Amino acid sequence: MSSYGSNTGVDKKEENGEGKAPQPPSPTQIGGGVVPRPGPGEQRKVALVTGITGQDGSYLTEFLLGKGYEVHGLIRRSSNFNTARLDHLYVDPHNAAKARMKLHYADLSDASSLRRWVDALLPDEVYNLAAQSHVAVSFEIPDYTADVVGTGALRLLEAVRCAPKPIRYYQAGSSEMFGSTPPPQSESSPFHPRSPYAAAKVAAHWYTVNYREAYGLFACNGILFNHESPRRGENFVTRKITRAVGRIRLGLQTKVYLGNLSAARDWGFAGDYVEAMWMMLQQDEPGDYVVATEESHTVEEFLQAAFGYVGLDWKDHVVIDPKYFRPAEVDSLKGDSTKARKALGWKPKVGFQDLVKMMVDHDLEIAKREKVLVDAGYIDAQQQP
């Protein structure tokens, strides 16, 4: 059972490890060598991360711990723990000598909780990664999406503005903001959002620009194009595909149902993209940056790469279901990241084919564990078609 202390943040339950991704290098190994320790009279830099339990939040936390930071994450209260992506980083906060990541309850819909933690922690850097980030779902819960993604960013910016010390702020933008704007899309391309999620991200973007210009905040927008990993949620199309590939390859299901296969996206690796976030906040002046691989691939190409990697023909297993088409489609996204490459010195390390293989390998391992349970009668494989 978990226990909760008023001064220690959120304590984490122990889990048995089933279904987890292979553990990445420990924080002391990330980037090579030993985690830097503060010298005499020095203090660790402190980062506050919203959305820390998500894909990007977990990779960013690994990265910041590797840089010697103390990392505080804000998480929403839920009846179920949703911190699996952080399990390998978690140390009980009572172990003060080793617990450099701590979790606290807050919500972007609750301005008082944001203000309280910003004032209590006085971080050097704030990374706003939290969002209702599923485009299709945003059509079903538009009010909530707008409140959390758009107004939530405004609440956090106001907390940062009112803090008693200067804080550097990163706002997670999205290539979805460009919508129907023809590719390639750069920092100067006009926004034409095609979903409530994208429209809310546009609002958050301009709130960030406004606070930078009006109050002199060191506030940056990172306009990140699609970035994936084995930690991507299973209801996103890339992970839905690789999850199905693993299960189909082992006979646990036969079909996967998808929507628009001609949609083209600029897909990169999330682990590469969090480094760009950090780089933005280390510059002398704040700015806005597109982060992208500058390559575009369709969903069909992703299917070909994923199924082909395990020797299957995707056409034998994919069924088009009209319910997965969006009310307004985004046909093609391809980023122009010239500014980030020149000003930050950033470039992606993982290519498209390697990304697909990484995700398929991970989901094959999960499927193998599932098959053991199916063969033992603990799981009904027929729950999937």
PDB file of all heavy atoms in Angstrom, residues 135-155:
ATOM      1  N   VAL A 135      -5.622  13.931 -30.153  1.00  0.00           N
ATOM      2  CA  VAL A 135      -6.349  14.792 -31.089  1.00  0.00           C
ATOM      3  C   VAL A 135      -7.787  14.327 -31.263  1.00  0.00           C
ATOM      4  O   VAL A 135      -8.735  15.120 -31.177  1.00  0.00           O
ATOM      5  CB  VAL A 135      -5.618  14.846 -32.445  1.00  0.00           C
ATOM      6  CG1 VAL A 135      -6.444  15.645 -33.458  1.00  0.00           C
ATOM      7  CG2 VAL A 135      -4.236  15.475 -32.275  1.00  0.00           C
ATOM      8  N   ALA A 136      -7.982  13.040 -31.533  1.00  0.00           N
ATOM      9  CA  ALA A 136      -9.333  12.528 -31.771  1.00  0.00           C
ATOM     10  C   ALA A 136     -10.214  12.702 -30.537  1.00  0.00           C
ATOM     11  O   ALA A 136     -11.391  13.078 -30.641  1.00  0.00           O
ATOM     12  CB  ALA A 136      -9.273  11.063 -32.184  1.00  0.00           C
ATOM     13  N   VAL A 137      -9.655  12.451 -29.357  1.00  0.00           N
ATOM     14  CA  VAL A 137     -10.428  12.590 -28.120  1.00  0.00           C
ATOM     15  C   VAL A 137     -10.833  14.044 -27.896  1.00  0.00           C
ATOM     16  O   VAL A 137     -11.885  14.330 -27.319  1.00  0.00           O
ATOM     17  CB  VAL A 137      -9.625  12.043 -26.927  1.00  0.00           C
ATOM     18  CG1 VAL A 137     -10.318  12.357 -25.608  1.00  0.00           C
ATOM     19  CG2 VAL A 137      -9.429  10.533 -27.066  1.00  0.00           C
ATOM     20  N   SER A 138     -10.025  14.989 -28.374  1.00  0.00           N
ATOM     21  CA  SER A 138     -10.345  16.397 -28.155  1.00  0.00           C
ATOM     22  C   SER A 138     -11.649  16.810 -28.827  1.00  0.00           C
ATOM     23  O   SER A 138     -12.300  17.762 -28.398  1.00  0.00           O
ATOM     24  CB  SER A 138      -9.195  17.292 -28.641  1.00  0.00           C
ATOM     25  OG  SER A 138      -9.142  17.401 -30.056  1.00  0.00           O
ATOM     26  N   PHE A 139     -12.055  16.103 -29.872  1.00  0.00           N
ATOM     27  CA  PHE A 139     -13.358  16.367 -30.493  1.00  0.00           C
ATOM     28  C   PHE A 139     -14.505  15.907 -29.591  1.00  0.00           C
ATOM     29  O   PHE A 139     -15.617  16.421 -29.680  1.00  0.00           O
ATOM     30  CB  PHE A 139     -13.454  15.657 -31.844  1.00  0.00           C
ATOM     31  CG  PHE A 139     -12.659  16.309 -32.941  1.00  0.00           C
ATOM     32  CD1 PHE A 139     -11.424  15.805 -33.313  1.00  0.00           C
ATOM     33  CD2 PHE A 139     -13.137  17.421 -33.612  1.00  0.00           C
ATOM     34  CE1 PHE A 139     -10.686  16.388 -34.330  1.00  0.00           C
ATOM     35  CE2 PHE A 139     -12.408  18.022 -34.633  1.00  0.00           C
ATOM     36  CZ  PHE A 139     -11.184  17.500 -34.986  1.00  0.00           C
ATOM     37  N   GLU A 140     -14.235  14.930 -28.735  1.00  0.00           N
ATOM     38  CA  GLU A 140     -15.270  14.393 -27.851  1.00  0.00           C
ATOM     39  C   GLU A 140     -15.358  15.162 -26.536  1.00  0.00           C
ATOM     40  O   GLU A 140     -16.427  15.234 -25.928  1.00  0.00           O
ATOM     41  CB  GLU A 140     -14.991  12.915 -27.584  1.00  0.00           C
ATOM     42  CG  GLU A 140     -14.989  12.064 -28.846  1.00  0.00           C
ATOM     43  CD  GLU A 140     -14.842  10.587 -28.542  1.00  0.00           C
ATOM     44  OE1 GLU A 140     -15.287  10.149 -27.462  1.00  0.00           O
ATOM     45  OE2 GLU A 140     -14.278   9.859 -29.379  1.00  0.00           O
ATOM     46  N   ILE A 141     -14.234  15.715 -26.072  1.00  0.00           N
ATOM     47  CA  ILE A 141     -14.239  16.505 -24.824  1.00  0.00           C
ATOM     48  C   ILE A 141     -13.550  17.855 -25.089  1.00  0.00           C
ATOM     49  O   ILE A 141     -12.494  18.149 -24.525  1.00  0.00           O
ATOM     50  CB  ILE A 141     -13.564  15.741 -23.667  1.00  0.00           C
ATOM     51  CG1 ILE A 141     -12.194  15.180 -24.076  1.00  0.00           C
ATOM     52  CG2 ILE A 141     -14.458  14.628 -23.171  1.00  0.00           C
ATOM     53  CD1 ILE A 141     -11.414  14.576 -22.901  1.00  0.00           C
ATOM     54  N   PRO A 142     -14.150  18.674 -25.945  1.00  0.00           N
ATOM     55  CA  PRO A 142     -13.501  19.933 -26.335  1.00  0.00           C
ATOM     56  C   PRO A 142     -13.369  20.936 -25.203  1.00  0.00           C
ATOM     57  O   PRO A 142     -12.354  21.641 -25.114  1.00  0.00           O
ATOM     58  CB  PRO A 142     -14.396  20.466 -27.453  1.00  0.00           C
ATOM     59  CG  PRO A 142     -15.734  19.840 -27.203  1.00  0.00           C
ATOM     60  CD  PRO A 142     -15.437  18.481 -26.641  1.00  0.00           C
ATOM     61  N   ASP A 143     -14.383  21.057 -24.331  1.00  0.00           N
ATOM     62  CA  ASP A 143     -14.306  22.023 -23.241  1.00  0.00           C
ATOM     63  C   ASP A 143     -13.149  21.704 -22.303  1.00  0.00           C
ATOM     64  O   ASP A 143     -12.371  22.586 -21.923  1.00  0.00           O
ATOM     65  CB  ASP A 143     -15.608  22.037 -22.434  1.00  0.00           C
ATOM     66  CG  ASP A 143     -16.768  22.625 -23.208  1.00  0.00           C
ATOM     67  OD1 ASP A 143     -16.559  23.011 -24.376  1.00  0.00           O
ATOM     68  OD2 ASP A 143     -17.883  22.700 -22.653  1.00  0.00           O
ATOM     69  N   TYR A 144     -13.054  20.455 -21.921  1.00  0.00           N
ATOM     70  CA  TYR A 144     -11.975  20.031 -21.025  1.00  0.00           C
ATOM     71  C   TYR A 144     -10.619  20.251 -21.681  1.00  0.00           C
ATOM     72  O   TYR A 144      -9.667  20.738 -21.049  1.00  0.00           O
ATOM     73  CB  TYR A 144     -12.151  18.561 -20.651  1.00  0.00           C
ATOM     74  CG  TYR A 144     -11.002  17.994 -19.857  1.00  0.00           C
ATOM     75  CD1 TYR A 144     -10.885  18.254 -18.493  1.00  0.00           C
ATOM     76  CD2 TYR A 144     -10.028  17.215 -20.470  1.00  0.00           C
ATOM     77  CE1 TYR A 144      -9.820  17.746 -17.757  1.00  0.00           C
ATOM     78  CE2 TYR A 144      -8.960  16.703 -19.755  1.00  0.00           C
ATOM     79  CZ  TYR A 144      -8.858  16.970 -18.398  1.00  0.00           C
ATOM     80  OH  TYR A 144      -7.795  16.470 -17.685  1.00  0.00           O
ATOM     81  N   THR A 145     -10.509  19.887 -22.964  1.00  0.00           N
ATOM     82  CA  THR A 145      -9.245  20.050 -23.689  1.00  0.00           C
ATOM     83  C   THR A 145      -8.820  21.508 -23.712  1.00  0.00           C
ATOM     84  O   THR A 145      -7.658  21.842 -23.447  1.00  0.00           O
ATOM     85  CB  THR A 145      -9.376  19.510 -25.124  1.00  0.00           C
ATOM     86  OG1 THR A 145      -9.715  18.114 -25.078  1.00  0.00           O
ATOM     87  CG2 THR A 145      -8.078  19.683 -25.895  1.00  0.00           C
ATOM     88  N   ALA A 146      -9.760  22.404 -24.023  1.00  0.00           N
ATOM     89  CA  ALA A 146      -9.440  23.828 -24.080  1.00  0.00           C
ATOM     90  C   ALA A 146      -9.014  24.345 -22.713  1.00  0.00           C
ATOM     91  O   ALA A 146      -8.078  25.147 -22.595  1.00  0.00           O
ATOM     92  CB  ALA A 146     -10.645  24.614 -24.591  1.00  0.00           C
ATOM     93  N   ASP A 147      -9.690  23.884 -21.651  1.00  0.00           N
ATOM     94  CA  ASP A 147      -9.387  24.365 -20.308  1.00  0.00           C
ATOM     95  C   ASP A 147      -7.997  23.937 -19.867  1.00  0.00           C
ATOM     96  O   ASP A 147      -7.215  24.745 -19.347  1.00  0.00           O
ATOM     97  CB  ASP A 147     -10.435  23.848 -19.331  1.00  0.00           C
ATOM     98  CG  ASP A 147     -10.220  24.375 -17.924  1.00  0.00           C
ATOM     99  OD1 ASP A 147     -10.017  25.588 -17.769  1.00  0.00           O
ATOM    100  OD2 ASP A 147     -10.247  23.571 -16.984  1.00  0.00           O
ATOM    101  N   VAL A 148      -7.665  22.678 -20.058  1.00  0.00           N
ATOM    102  CA  VAL A 148      -6.397  22.158 -19.571  1.00  0.00           C
ATOM    103  C   VAL A 148      -5.234  22.575 -20.472  1.00  0.00           C
ATOM    104  O   VAL A 148      -4.191  23.029 -19.987  1.00  0.00           O
ATOM    105  CB  VAL A 148      -6.456  20.618 -19.456  1.00  0.00           C
ATOM    106  CG1 VAL A 148      -5.077  20.040 -19.172  1.00  0.00           C
ATOM    107  CG2 VAL A 148      -7.429  20.216 -18.359  1.00  0.00           C
ATOM    108  N   VAL A 149      -5.411  22.455 -21.778  1.00  0.00           N
ATOM    109  CA  VAL A 149      -4.314  22.721 -22.704  1.00  0.00           C
ATOM    110  C   VAL A 149      -4.071  24.217 -22.882  1.00  0.00           C
ATOM    111  O   VAL A 149      -2.928  24.682 -22.842  1.00  0.00           O
ATOM    112  CB  VAL A 149      -4.595  22.062 -24.070  1.00  0.00           C
ATOM    113  CG1 VAL A 149      -3.481  22.389 -25.071  1.00  0.00           C
ATOM    114  CG2 VAL A 149      -4.733  20.549 -23.912  1.00  0.00           C
ATOM    115  N   GLY A 150      -5.141  24.984 -23.074  1.00  0.00           N
ATOM    116  CA  GLY A 150      -4.998  26.411 -23.318  1.00  0.00           C
ATOM    117  C   GLY A 150      -4.960  27.232 -22.042  1.00  0.00           C
ATOM    118  O   GLY A 150      -3.938  27.829 -21.690  1.00  0.00           O
ATOM    119  N   THR A 151      -6.063  27.249 -21.309  1.00  0.00           N
ATOM    120  CA  THR A 151      -6.141  28.050 -20.089  1.00  0.00           C
ATOM    121  C   THR A 151      -5.204  27.513 -19.013  1.00  0.00           C
ATOM    122  O   THR A 151      -4.683  28.284 -18.195  1.00  0.00           O
ATOM    123  CB  THR A 151      -7.586  28.093 -19.567  1.00  0.00           C
ATOM    124  OG1 THR A 151      -8.464  28.485 -20.631  1.00  0.00           O
ATOM    125  CG2 THR A 151      -7.728  29.081 -18.434  1.00  0.00           C
ATOM    126  N   GLY A 152      -4.965  26.216 -19.016  1.00  0.00           N
ATOM    127  CA  GLY A 152      -4.020  25.649 -18.053  1.00  0.00           C
ATOM    128  C   GLY A 152      -2.631  26.240 -18.207  1.00  0.00           C
ATOM    129  O   GLY A 152      -1.944  26.537 -17.218  1.00  0.00           O
ATOM    130  N   ALA A 153      -2.209  26.436 -19.452  1.00  0.00           N
ATOM    131  CA  ALA A 153      -0.910  27.062 -19.694  1.00  0.00           C
ATOM    132  C   ALA A 153      -0.899  28.493 -19.170  1.00  0.00           C
ATOM    133  O   ALA A 153       0.095  28.953 -18.592  1.00  0.00           O
ATOM    134  CB  ALA A 153      -0.589  27.031 -21.183  1.00  0.00           C
ATOM    135  N   LEU A 154      -2.000  29.199 -19.355  1.00  0.00           N
ATOM    136  CA  LEU A 154      -2.102  30.573 -18.850  1.00  0.00           C
ATOM    137  C   LEU A 154      -1.995  30.602 -17.326  1.00  0.00           C
ATOM    138  O   LEU A 154      -1.308  31.461 -16.754  1.00  0.00           O
ATOM    139  CB  LEU A 154      -3.432  31.182 -19.304  1.00  0.00           C
ATOM    140  CG  LEU A 154      -3.732  32.606 -18.820  1.00  0.00           C
ATOM    141  CD1 LEU A 154      -2.677  33.583 -19.320  1.00  0.00           C
ATOM    142  CD2 LEU A 154      -5.129  33.034 -19.273  1.00  0.00           C
ATOM    143  N   ARG A 155      -2.653  29.667 -16.657  1.00  0.00           N
ATOM    144  CA  ARG A 155      -2.578  29.611 -15.194  1.00  0.00           C
ATOM    145  C   ARG A 155      -1.137  29.394 -14.731  1.00  0.00           C
ATOM    146  O   ARG A 155      -0.677  30.000 -13.758  1.00  0.00           O
ATOM    147  CB  ARG A 155      -3.479  28.486 -14.674  1.00  0.00           C
ATOM    148  CG  ARG A 155      -4.964  28.684 -14.930  1.00  0.00           C
ATOM    149  CD  ARG A 155      -5.775  27.558 -14.315  1.00  0.00           C
ATOM    150  NE  ARG A 155      -7.193  27.683 -14.646  1.00  0.00           N
ATOM    151  CZ  ARG A 155      -7.847  26.904 -15.488  1.00  0.00           C
ATOM    152  NH1 ARG A 155      -7.212  25.902 -16.100  1.00  0.00           N
ATOM    153  NH2 ARG A 155      -9.123  27.093 -15.746  1.00  0.00           N
TER     154      ARG A 155
END
